[in-house]
Amino acid sequence: MYRTHTCGELRKEDISKNIILSGWVWSRRDHGDIVFIDMRDKFGVTQIVFDPSHSKESHAKAHNLRNEYCLKISGIVKERPAGTINSKLATGDIEVYVEKIEILSESEPLPFEIKDQSELLSEEVRLKYRYLDLRRPSMQYRLNLRHRVYKYIFDFFSKEGFTYIETPILTKSTPEGARDYLVPSRLQKGSFYALPQSPQIFKQLLMVSGLEKYFQIAKCFRDEDLRADRQPEFTQLDLEMSFVEQNDILNICEKFYKGLFKEALGRDIEIPFQRMTHSDAMDKYGSDKPDLRFGMELANLTDGIKEHGTNFKIFNDVISSGGRIMGLAAEGYGSISRKDIDTLTAFAGEYGAKGLAYFKIEDNVVTSPIVKFFPEETINFIKSKTGAKPGDMIFIVAADKATARSAMGALRLKIGKEKGLSDAAKLKFLWVVDFPLFTYDKEDKRWVSEHHPFTSFIEEDAKYLETGELDKVRSKSYDLVLNGSEIGSGSIRIHRKDIQKKVFNILGIDDESAAKKFGFLLEAFSYGAPPHGGVAFGIDRLITLFTGDSSIREVIPFPKTQRGVCPLSDAPSSIDELQLRDLGLKLNPKILD
Amino acid sequence: MYRTHTCGELRKEDISKNIILSGWVWSRRDHGDIVFIDMRDKFGVTQIVFDPSHSKESHAKAHNLRNEYCLKISGIVKERPAGTINSKLATGDIEVYVEKIEILSESEPLPFEIKDQSELLSEEVRLKYRYLDLRRPSMQYRLNLRHRVYKYIFDFFSKEGFTYIETPILTKSTPEGARDYLVPSRLQKGSFYALPQSPQIFKQLLMVSGLEKYFQIAKCFRDEDLRADRQPEFTQLDLEMSFVEQNDILNICEKFYKGLFKEALGRDIEIPFQRMTHSDAMDKYGSDKPDLRFGMELANLTDGIKEHGTNFKIFNDVISSGGRIMGLAAEGYGSISRKDIDTLTAFAGEYGAKGLAYFKIEDNVVTSPIVKFFPEETINFIKSKTGAKPGDMIFIVAADKATARSAMGALRLKIGKEKGLSDAAKLKFLWVVDFPLFTYDKEDKRWVSEHHPFTSFIEEDAKYLETGELDKVRSKSYDLVLNGSEIGSGSIRIHRKDIQKKVFNILGIDDESAAKKFGFLLEAFSYGAPPHGGVAFGIDRLITLFTGDSSIREVIPFPKTQRGVCPLSDAPSSIDELQLRDLGLKLNPKILD
């Protein structure tokens, strides 16, 4: 028997009991005459005492113990002497006098200490010794939190009548915009499976099957280029429902999140979440994932400046070319230095803005290098529209619509951050809805899906499919945004074959190519497909919301580096020539060089 | 709004309510004047009525409806007329008079009827139209049962203090005996990930991490040759625990199964399960997964026949060459025909037995073509040892130990089956324990692991590692057997680096090769690894135990054929030349031809 109790369990009531504990040497204080060890297991820490007057033999062994030795001890629980009670420790009232000790396994000197400050270590080292890194209580907390989230997901969706269904990992390439990971088939040489970028098509097929309410904690795979915080494999909470409208899906997600935040953080969040159209989000916040923890709305000044007039040529040029003039009032920024203004101008420039106009608002006067080009009524309009007050600075970008929005949106975020408005303790949820169905890809000179090609559209916009005004078609899609980050995305899907084919055609996928890639989905739609829709939430990112981590690698047990490498197992690795031959493949020396 | 109620919900209390339903046309009876439709959704079936005196417009549309059209209807709930009440249907007291109907989507003529007899269809057709196949209530039952099993797994192991942890899918090759599926890396060209055959090494690393109690519903992958009922990807319930002995693991598994059978089938099963050593199982049942739904134990006659004597040369040769003579008494088989005996002899021959001796037991006489070679006391010994009674037939195989065991074990199963003793309604669980650690592979002329190379051994057998009597080393491993099928397998693992290295060496893995393949595990064992062990259960097979299906493909939403093909999506499929180039690969024309 390895234990009668865990290291987190013993209390005053256990005094005088003979007990057995197993665990690791967490720290050791060797006073020569007496050795104290904090012994740690998954459940807590207990102080064990080696006293020669109690057991000479155990005491003798205690001198050789080192951190992270794995021990089994038996002994007697005693009350700690007055003055040595540790109220921070659940077991702090007692200590265990060791009678017998067995070293279950020794430890070499550690590559790093098992302490919670080891975030300071290089990630490479942490990942190479991940099994030691995960011993730290803060990492165990992360894994256990993740477990609790999964348990909550199962509880919640089971109660709501959803069915957990596993979709295949070895499947066919689906065009989600990223590269597929491929798996060569040995039995069908020259053919390849693809790992799923998402269970999208399979979950839609399940709706055709009449499963109605599906959920899955789904592994997804994308072979992407190096990006800040992506993993080759990641996990998403995947949902799909039939016979629902958009609001049905948003409502159930809100109910889910309310319970989840209570479970994970003990926090009450308000539902329903705010809802905002994509167009409003872009106009007011210059972003499709606005951070609503602070206001500082953008103002569209274009029409007003046109109406009230200006002699400033740049603005007039933008107005006449159909562009946009957008402004915001930065509270208290009236007194920033010329250098700070230059920094902000350069920052806006990174988003394509050719310049950044500014107006300093004082009690009775507005100053700016370009103020002379503006009649007083235009100035008054700008002040009023941006809501500027004395002490503020108004910043303005005039450019094409997209540039004006993104530069001003970025500027708003930057200033908000500088002013400490993006308070991590606040939680501001937002549904952004009515995304455009299509976006024009200027580089490739073709229309592409804003979400994915299976997304349905608002009925009244169907006419624009006929007129070719594709930018006017609003989709039935929705993103869930929390504090300026997208945490999930979904849509009502197309469920009619004719409409799906039409959308494929617009996207440049002709009937032949559609049949080859998606023939099975189109065919499924021939047999009474129900209206359906769904959503997917990135679970890794979700957990970091709870832990406050900046990287999803912190909440993944065995993550890979940005080069897709596992420093622990050394995956990916070279393989035998024979394995390649079995698959009907060989290395391509031209490419490898 | 698509529905106010589901199709399984309406009762007498709802009479006179105006309701909305959505679902599929399950069947249609067109009486010309009135059309009746059984409308189906995930939750049940409701009869809807199109009566021109109620709604002329809806009635007109009803004639054009066909099976599996997807509908939304609104109407009024009415009591069924006396004599038309359907007590088999939960909604059989009522029917809905349709006021408005909307065809949500039409259906082409179906490739097969959505009825529960479609097991009779070819599997190829069922899998190609899996989305229709899954509409059948019996398939929906299977998927929902699977969901309930998953939910129970989460509930049970959470309550027991286990943590659900996901291990990587893109990982390094592990040697579990089968071929790995490989995934070429684009960022590390020429290198490959492997899909896990099991999370074995990662779950052991989690124990080194101090997670203590881990569980996962894990996707596993094996690139195996065509075999009866395997899938390229399958799901296992994977467990690992630290600071436990074998019995701790068996106990928790029994508790799990007791609850699971109650949840899934409403059946009470007795725990603890019977436990039997591998050696006893082989001796008494000629199998390491004995079916204990019936007795018919094998008798080892070798020593007794030697003692009492025989003139039968074949037996004497077997005795002198150290072989084994095994017998069983087949109840009531005394009167089977010569032809039946020939069939059984041929059957035993398939397992390597060169012949099958038989003795017919009558009230006062024993008859056999070879009876003359046996003195009466030897005959009496054989009768007594096999427990034969008048009317029985004793069958005997004399051969080397392995052949005698397997031929007699197979014969026992065959006779048991013929006699209808393998009653599907009975549930006989058994732990087979103390497997040998090593088996000698005669073909490759080397020792291999009976379970896997991480399996620990019974301490008192350690001496045989030194003496080289490797066949005498018993492992700390256990298989869970139900009704003659292995449903799970596990072991206490080695947790010490020196011992793990020694076992690797015995298996022909030298230190260099061990370092290359398992260096990270060996290194992990250097830092205070705890004693640990675990088990894995095949979930697909488990579900078929509940459904009574013979193939795991019945309980997998989207399975592949035995050629590893998905007839629905056509995976695996050819890919663009460019995708291969990106991976630094090309097809090997020599192999492909």
Side-chain angles (χ1 to χ4, degrees):
Chain A
M1 186 195 272
Y2 284 104
R3 52 164 61 130
T4 54
H5 296 75
T6 71
C7 291
E9 205 174 348
L10 294 168
R11 299 287 184 277
K12 265 189 178 164
E13 304 84 80
D14 300 302
I15 286 165
S16 301
K17 280 188 189 160
N18 287 297
I19 58 92
I20 305 174
L21 300 179
S22 286
W24 286 266
V25 177
W26 180 229
S27 68
R28 194 176 65 104
R29 296 181 306 290
D30 193 336
H31 294 189
D33 48 345
I34 297 195
V35 178
F36 294 94
I37 281 179
D38 282 346
M39 189 165 165
R40 184 196 75 237
D41 67 11
K42 183 183 187 179
F43 308 96
V45 174
T46 299
Q47 175 163 291
I48 61 176
V49 185
F50 296 83
D51 181 339
S53 70
H54 197 83
S55 162
K56 208 163 192 169
E57 198 187 350
S58 299
H59 180 262
K61 285 187 185 168
H63 291 296
N64 300 321
L65 300 178
R66 294 290 173 270
N67 279 356
E68 300 305 316
Y69 272 39
C70 187
L71 309 179
K72 170 181 149 185
I73 61 108
S74 57
I76 188 162
V77 184
K78 296 202 177 188
E79 186 164 17
R80 290 205 196 188
T84 68
I85 288 167
N86 182 349
S87 59
K88 285 185 207 154
L89 211 59
T91 63
D93 286 328
I94 59 90
E95 55 195 3
V96 173
Y97 273 67
V98 177
E99 275 153 15
K100 278 191 192 161
I101 171 169
E102 184 185 339
I103 296 175
L104 298 172
S105 62
E106 300 185 351
S107 175
E108 301 276 322
L110 297 159
F112 51 80
E113 274 190 283
I114 311 298
K115 282 197 177 161
D116 274 339
Q117 298 89 313
S118 49
E119 283 87 355
L120 302 172
L121 291 167
S122 91
E123 189 169 46
E124 186 81 13
V125 170
R126 286 182 59 201
L127 294 185
K128 180 170 165 57
Y129 298 98
R130 188 62 160 183
Y131 46 86
L132 296 178
D133 192 43
L134 293 179
R135 276 192 194 167
R136 300 189 290 127
S138 65
M139 293 307 285
Q140 302 233 336
Y141 167 79
R142 287 176 173 90
L143 296 185
N144 284 310
L145 174 67
R146 190 165 182 135
H147 164 75
R148 278 163 49 215
V149 170
Y150 282 23
K151 178 71 167 69
Y152 173 77
I153 288 171
F154 258 91
D155 287 344
F156 179 86
F157 289 104
S158 298
K159 206 172 160 192
E160 294 285 342
F162 283 70
T163 308
Y164 190 93
I165 302 175
E166 284 166 301
T167 52
I169 298 291
L170 293 171
T171 181
K172 187 172 162 152
S173 177
T174 55
E176 307 269 328
R179 276 190 203 84
D180 289 316
Y181 279 105
L182 298 174
V183 183
S185 165
R186 185 176 54 85
L187 294 177
Q188 313 284 337
K189 286 187 184 44
S191 288
F192 294 78
Y193 302 99
L195 303 182
Q197 295 186 34
S198 88
Q200 184 64 35
I201 290 185
F202 282 104
K203 70 176 175 173
Q204 291 194 239
L205 290 173
L206 287 170
M207 295 304 105
V208 178
S209 298
L211 266 303
E212 296 203 16
K213 289 179 170 185
Y214 143 93
F215 78 115
Q216 187 180 195
I217 297 170
K219 274 281 175 103
C220 306
F221 304 84
R222 292 186 193 171
D223 183 9
E224 291 180 304
D225 286 322
L226 315 177
R227 281 172 71 175
D229 195 24
R230 296 288 180 94
Q231 284 283 303
E233 60 184 289
F234 58 96
T235 308
Q236 75 185 28
L237 168 59
D238 201 47
L239 305 175
E240 197 80 6
M241 302 171 78
S242 294
F243 303 122
V244 288
E245 282 154 354
Q246 181 163 311
N247 268 341
D248 299 316
I249 296 174
L250 305 197
N251 290 344
I252 203 158
C253 291
E254 288 167 354
K255 196 172 164 192
F256 166 73
Y257 274 100
K258 187 170 177 66
L260 180 63
F261 273 74
K262 190 75 186 170
E263 163 63 29
L265 296 181
R267 288 185 65 170
D268 288 304
I269 58 173
E270 253 180 66
I271 59 170
F273 300 151
Q274 188 178 339
R275 297 168 195 201
M276 187 185 290
T277 65
H278 177 266
S279 159
D280 276 357
M282 296 305 293
D283 279 348
K284 292 186 183 164
Y285 302 96
S287 168
D288 59 4
K289 43 182 189 227
D291 186 344
L292 296 190
R293 285 176 295 181
F294 59 97
M296 214 191 296
E297 279 186 25
L298 309 184
N300 182 349
L301 307 173
T302 325
D303 292 346
I305 290 179
K306 186 177 174 188
E307 183 191 333
H308 298 291
T310 176
N311 296 323
F312 191 51
K313 183 172 181 303
I314 294 174
F315 280 19
N316 284 326
D317 288 351
V318 164
I319 289 171
S320 61
S321 69
R324 184 165 289 200
I325 304 172
M326 293 180 85
L328 69 77
E331 195 185 335
Y333 266 46
S335 45
I336 66 170
S337 68
R338 176 70 220 185
K339 196 180 148 209
D340 288 340
I341 292 174
D342 288 346
T343 304
L344 293 177
T345 306
F347 177 79
E350 289 170 26
Y351 293 84
K354 297 223 173 70
L356 182 67
Y358 57 94
F359 295 85
K360 177 177 174 180
I361 314 300
E362 287 169 282
D363 277 341
N364 296 309
V365 65
V366 172
T367 54
S368 167
I370 56 170
V371 73
K372 60 186 172 199
F373 299 113
F374 293 83
E376 192 173 343
E377 77 174 82
T378 305
I379 293 288
N380 284 340
F381 160 75
I382 293 173
K383 272 172 68 179
S384 140
K385 185 84 177 174
T386 57
K389 291 180 301 296
D392 294 355
M393 184 83 86
I394 296 171
F395 292 105
I396 298 179
V397 166
D400 65 277
K401 182 167 137 186
T403 303
R405 280 170 159 182
S406 71
M408 286 305 287
L411 198 68
R412 172 183 173 272
L413 279 185
K414 184 178 170 67
I415 293 171
K417 207 172 167 188
E418 282 177 6
K419 290 168 67 70
L421 297 173
S422 44
D423 177 2
K426 273 194 202 169
L427 294 172
K428 282 289 183 184
F429 286 92
L430 169 72
W431 289 109
V432 177
V433 299
D434 298 359
F435 277 74
L437 186 63
F438 302 108
T439 324
Y440 192 71
D441 182 329
K442 283 176 187 158
E443 213 164 292
D444 282 4
K445 292 193 177 131
R446 63 191 186 91
W447 290 93
V448 294
S449 294
E450 173 82 18
H451 268 68
H452 56 57
F454 314 110
T455 306
S456 186
F457 47 84
I458 292 175
E459 278 79 5
E460 62 176 277
D461 293 350
K463 56 181 181 281
Y464 300 123
L465 293 180
E466 307 304 326
T467 62
E469 295 167 281
L470 297 177
D471 55 332
K472 288 191 180 165
V473 185
R474 287 165 300 165
S475 65
K476 289 185 179 170
S477 66
Y478 32 87
D479 278 6
L480 182 57
V481 174
L482 172 58
N483 293 356
S485 294
E486 184 232 292
I487 61 173
S489 182
S491 62
I492 298 295
R493 327 297 185 187
I494 297 167
H495 70 279
R496 278 177 45 190
K497 186 176 175 175
D498 54 342
I499 295 176
Q500 185 66 69
K501 278 172 102 167
K502 178 178 278 181
V503 167
F504 281 151
N505 289 167
I506 289 171
L507 296 170
I509 305 169
D510 63 22
D511 285 359
E512 192 187 336
S513 162
K516 198 182 156 204
K517 284 183 180 163
F518 308 109
F520 59 114
L521 182 68
L522 289 172
E523 188 160 18
F525 284 172
S526 312
Y527 298 105
H532 62 284
V535 66
F537 298 102
I539 289 188
D540 307 298
R541 177 67 55 210
L542 193 61
I543 312 281
T544 65
L545 279 174
F546 299 136
T547 58
D549 288 310
S550 56
S551 164
I552 61 171
R553 294 189 296 280
E554 292 295 335
V555 300
I556 295 175
F558 299 101
K560 297 190 174 59
T561 65
Q562 285 185 30
R563 298 275 312 159
V565 169
C566 171
L568 170 59
S569 65
D570 268 338
S573 53
S574 60
I575 57 168
D576 294 344
E577 186 65 23
L578 194 64
Q579 283 176 286
L580 265 189
R581 277 184 65 95
D582 271 355
L583 299 170
L585 291 175
K586 50 191 209 177
L587 298 181
N588 186 341
K590 273 188 230 157
I591 306 295
L592 290 176
D593 287 345
Chain B
M1 188 196 273
Y2 284 103
R3 53 165 58 133
T4 55
H5 296 75
T6 71
C7 291
E9 203 174 351
L10 294 169
R11 298 288 183 277
K12 265 188 178 164
E13 304 84 80
D14 300 302
I15 286 166
S16 301
K17 280 188 191 163
N18 287 297
I19 57 92
I20 303 175
L21 300 179
S22 286
W24 287 268
V25 177
W26 180 228
S27 68
R28 193 177 66 104
R29 297 181 305 289
D30 193 336
H31 295 190
D33 49 344
I34 297 194
V35 178
F36 294 94
I37 281 180
D38 282 345
M39 189 164 166
R40 184 197 73 238
D41 68 10
K42 184 183 186 178
F43 308 95
V45 173
T46 299
Q47 175 163 289
I48 61 176
V49 185
F50 297 82
D51 180 339
S53 71
H54 197 86
S55 162
K56 209 164 192 166
E57 199 186 349
S58 298
H59 179 262
K61 284 187 186 168
H63 291 296
N64 300 321
L65 300 178
R66 295 289 173 270
N67 279 357
E68 299 307 315
Y69 272 38
C70 188
L71 310 180
K72 171 180 148 185
I73 62 107
S74 58
I76 189 161
V77 184
K78 294 201 179 188
E79 187 166 15
R80 289 208 197 186
T84 67
I85 287 168
N86 183 348
S87 60
K88 285 185 208 154
L89 211 60
T91 62
D93 284 329
I94 59 91
E95 55 196 1
V96 173
Y97 274 68
V98 177
E99 275 154 14
K100 277 191 191 161
I101 172 171
E102 185 184 340
I103 296 175
L104 297 172
S105 62
E106 300 185 352
S107 175
E108 301 276 322
L110 297 158
F112 51 80
E113 275 190 284
I114 311 299
K115 281 195 178 162
D116 274 339
Q117 297 90 313
S118 49
E119 283 87 355
L120 302 172
L121 292 167
S122 90
E123 189 171 45
E124 185 82 15
V125 170
R126 286 182 59 200
L127 293 184
K128 181 171 164 59
Y129 298 98
R130 188 62 160 182
Y131 45 87
L132 296 178
D133 193 43
L134 293 179
R135 277 191 194 167
R136 300 189 291 127
S138 65
M139 294 306 286
Q140 301 233 335
Y141 167 78
R142 287 177 172 89
L143 296 185
N144 285 310
L145 173 67
R146 190 165 183 135
H147 164 75
R148 279 164 47 217
V149 169
Y150 282 23
K151 177 71 168 69
Y152 173 77
I153 288 172
F154 258 92
D155 287 345
F156 179 86
F157 289 103
S158 298
K159 205 171 160 193
E160 293 286 342
F162 284 70
T163 307
Y164 190 94
I165 301 175
E166 285 165 300
T167 52
I169 299 291
L170 293 171
T171 180
K172 186 172 161 153
S173 178
T174 56
E176 305 270 329
R179 277 190 204 83
D180 289 317
Y181 280 105
L182 298 174
V183 182
S185 165
R186 185 177 53 86
L187 295 176
Q188 313 284 335
K189 285 186 184 45
S191 288
F192 294 77
Y193 302 100
L195 303 182
Q197 295 185 37
S198 87
Q200 185 62 35
I201 291 185
F202 282 105
K203 71 176 176 174
Q204 292 194 240
L205 290 172
L206 287 171
M207 295 304 104
V208 178
S209 299
L211 266 303
E212 298 204 17
K213 290 180 171 186
Y214 143 93
F215 79 115
Q216 186 180 194
I217 296 171
K219 274 281 174 103
C220 305
F221 304 84
R222 290 185 194 173
D223 184 9
E224 290 179 303
D225 287 321
L226 316 176
R227 280 173 73 175
D229 196 24
R230 295 289 180 94
Q231 285 282 305
E233 61 184 289
F234 58 97
T235 308
Q236 74 185 31
L237 169 58
D238 202 47
L239 305 175
E240 197 79 6
M241 302 170 78
S242 294
F243 303 122
V244 289
E245 281 153 354
Q246 181 163 312
N247 269 341
D248 299 315
I249 296 175
L250 306 197
N251 290 344
I252 203 158
C253 291
E254 289 168 353
K255 194 172 165 193
F256 166 72
Y257 274 100
K258 188 170 176 66
L260 180 64
F261 273 75
K262 191 74 186 169
E263 162 63 29
L265 296 180
R267 287 186 67 169
D268 287 305
I269 58 173
E270 254 179 65
I271 60 172
F273 301 151
Q274 189 177 340
R275 297 168 196 201
M276 187 184 291
T277 65
H278 176 265
S279 161
D280 276 356
M282 295 305 293
D283 278 349
K284 291 186 184 164
Y285 302 96
S287 168
D288 59 3
K289 43 182 191 226
D291 186 345
L292 296 191
R293 284 174 296 179
F294 60 97
M296 215 192 293
E297 279 187 23
L298 309 183
N300 183 350
L301 307 172
T302 325
D303 291 346
I305 290 178
K306 187 177 172 188
E307 184 191 332
H308 298 290
T310 176
N311 296 321
F312 192 50
K313 184 172 181 301
I314 295 173
F315 281 19
N316 284 324
D317 288 352
V318 164
I319 289 170
S320 61
S321 69
R324 185 165 287 201
I325 305 172
M326 293 180 87
L328 68 79
E331 197 186 334
Y333 266 48
S335 45
I336 65 169
S337 68
R338 175 71 219 184
K339 198 182 147 204
D340 288 341
I341 292 174
D342 288 347
T343 305
L344 292 177
T345 307
F347 177 80
E350 289 170 27
Y351 294 84
K354 295 220 173 73
L356 182 66
Y358 57 93
F359 295 84
K360 178 177 173 180
I361 314 300
E362 288 169 282
D363 277 340
N364 297 309
V365 65
V366 172
T367 54
S368 167
I370 57 170
V371 73
K372 60 186 171 196
F373 299 112
F374 294 82
E376 192 174 344
E377 74 172 82
T378 306
I379 294 290
N380 285 341
F381 161 74
I382 293 173
K383 271 172 68 178
S384 143
K385 185 85 176 175
T386 57
K389 292 179 302 293
D392 294 357
M393 184 82 86
I394 295 173
F395 292 105
I396 298 180
V397 166
D400 64 277
K401 181 167 138 185
T403 302
R405 279 170 161 181
S406 71
M408 287 303 289
L411 198 68
R412 171 184 174 271
L413 279 185
K414 184 178 170 66
I415 294 171
K417 207 172 168 187
E418 282 177 7
K419 292 170 64 71
L421 297 174
S422 43
D423 178 3
K426 273 195 202 166
L427 293 172
K428 282 288 182 184
F429 287 92
L430 169 71
W431 288 109
V432 177
V433 300
D434 297 357
F435 278 74
L437 186 61
F438 302 109
T439 325
Y440 191 71
D441 182 330
K442 285 176 187 159
E443 212 164 295
D444 283 4
K445 296 199 173 124
R446 62 190 186 91
W447 290 94
V448 295
S449 294
E450 173 82 19
H451 269 69
H452 56 57
F454 314 111
T455 306
S456 186
F457 47 84
I458 293 177
E459 277 79 7
E460 62 176 276
D461 293 351
K463 56 181 180 284
Y464 300 123
L465 292 180
E466 307 305 326
T467 63
E469 296 166 280
L470 297 178
D471 55 334
K472 289 191 179 163
V473 185
R474 287 165 300 164
S475 66
K476 290 186 179 170
S477 65
Y478 32 85
D479 278 6
L480 182 57
V481 174
L482 172 58
N483 293 356
S485 294
E486 184 233 291
I487 60 173
S489 183
S491 61
I492 298 294
R493 328 296 184 186
I494 296 165
H495 71 279
R496 277 179 43 192
K497 185 175 175 177
D498 53 343
I499 296 176
Q500 185 66 69
K501 277 172 105 167
K502 178 177 281 181
V503 168
F504 281 152
N505 289 168
I506 290 171
L507 296 170
I509 306 169
D510 62 21
D511 284 359
E512 192 187 336
S513 164
K516 197 181 158 204
K517 283 183 182 165
F518 308 109
F520 59 114
L521 182 68
L522 289 171
E523 188 161 18
F525 285 172
S526 313
Y527 299 105
H532 61 285
V535 65
F537 298 101
I539 289 188
D540 307 298
R541 177 66 55 209
L542 194 61
I543 312 280
T544 66
L545 281 174
F546 299 137
T547 58
D549 289 310
S550 57
S551 165
I552 60 171
R553 295 190 295 281
E554 292 295 336
V555 300
I556 295 176
F558 299 101
K560 297 191 175 58
T561 66
Q562 285 185 29
R563 298 276 312 158
V565 169
C566 171
L568 170 60
S569 65
D570 269 338
S573 53
S574 59
I575 57 168
D576 294 344
E577 187 64 24
L578 193 65
Q579 283 175 283
L580 267 188
R581 277 184 64 95
D582 270 356
L583 299 171
L585 292 175
K586 50 193 212 176
L587 299 181
N588 186 340
K590 273 188 231 158
I591 306 294
L592 290 175
D593 286 345

